[in-house]
Amino acid sequence: MNHKAFGDRGEALARQYLADKGYTILQQNYRTKIGEIDLIVSKEDLLVFVEVKTRRSRNYGKGFEAVNFKKQQTLQRVATQYLAYRKNNLKSNLSMRFDVMDIFINGDKVLIDHIENAF
């Protein structure tokens, strides 16, 4: 399985996990010139921007460790663009947060670590 297909599998697992937890998937792979947000979901009055990191091994650390300060800044800028673009379609009283989902897949073994309010 190539890198893109592997990442897509991780995002599919993340989507299913979040849907099972009662989140509504609003957008997947929201792209702008400055970056991308893997998933944008909502639950009640909460809007969540989710970065998904999928790994096959822990040789280079856990996936969430790759969401460094620079990546966080990019995600925040992309989220700001999303909010500006969608402001007429969103409730005005939404709370927001940034989550990271660390998906570890090794053969049939799948571990999902959902880090809420990661930064």
Side-chain angles (χ1 to χ4, degrees):
M1 182 180 305
N2 69 35
H3 184 72
K4 169 113 174 68
F6 187 73
D8 289 348
R9 182 173 176 216
E11 286 185 14
L13 289 166
R15 277 193 317 277
Q16 186 61 55
Y17 175 91
L18 291 168
D20 290 347
K21 297 290 184 184
Y23 290 88
T24 300
I25 310 300
L26 300 177
Q27 187 99 30
Q28 177 182 336
N29 299 320
Y30 179 76
R31 287 183 177 92
T32 72
K33 289 181 179 183
I34 60 170
E36 173 188 359
I37 295 178
D38 295 324
L39 296 169
I40 302 172
V41 300
S42 68
K43 187 175 184 179
E44 299 166 6
D45 290 335
L46 180 63
L47 183 65
V48 185
F49 301 95
V50 184
E51 177 69 11
V52 179
K53 292 295 184 187
T54 308
R55 299 286 188 259
R56 331 175 178 233
S57 80
R58 299 289 191 203
N59 291 344
Y60 299 101
K62 293 189 174 190
F64 72 85
E65 294 173 321
V67 185
N68 58 24
F69 182 70
K70 182 178 178 181
K71 179 66 174 179
Q72 291 172 19
Q73 287 182 313
T74 299
L75 291 169
Q76 290 168 342
R77 285 196 306 273
V78 175
T80 299
Q81 287 184 342
Y82 176 83
L83 293 170
Y85 180 70
R86 299 280 190 205
K87 67 182 172 186
N88 294 331
N89 300 47
L90 296 171
K91 295 179 189 176
S92 60
N93 62 337
L94 286 174
S95 295
M96 292 173 282
R97 74 172 191 228
F98 290 86
D99 291 3
V100 175
M101 294 191 70
D102 187 349
I103 312 288
F104 178 73
I105 303 171
N106 189 340
D108 292 337
K109 182 180 180 181
V110 175
L111 298 172
I112 298 175
D113 188 9
H114 180 194
I115 303 148
E116 296 180 356
N117 206 23
F119 56 91

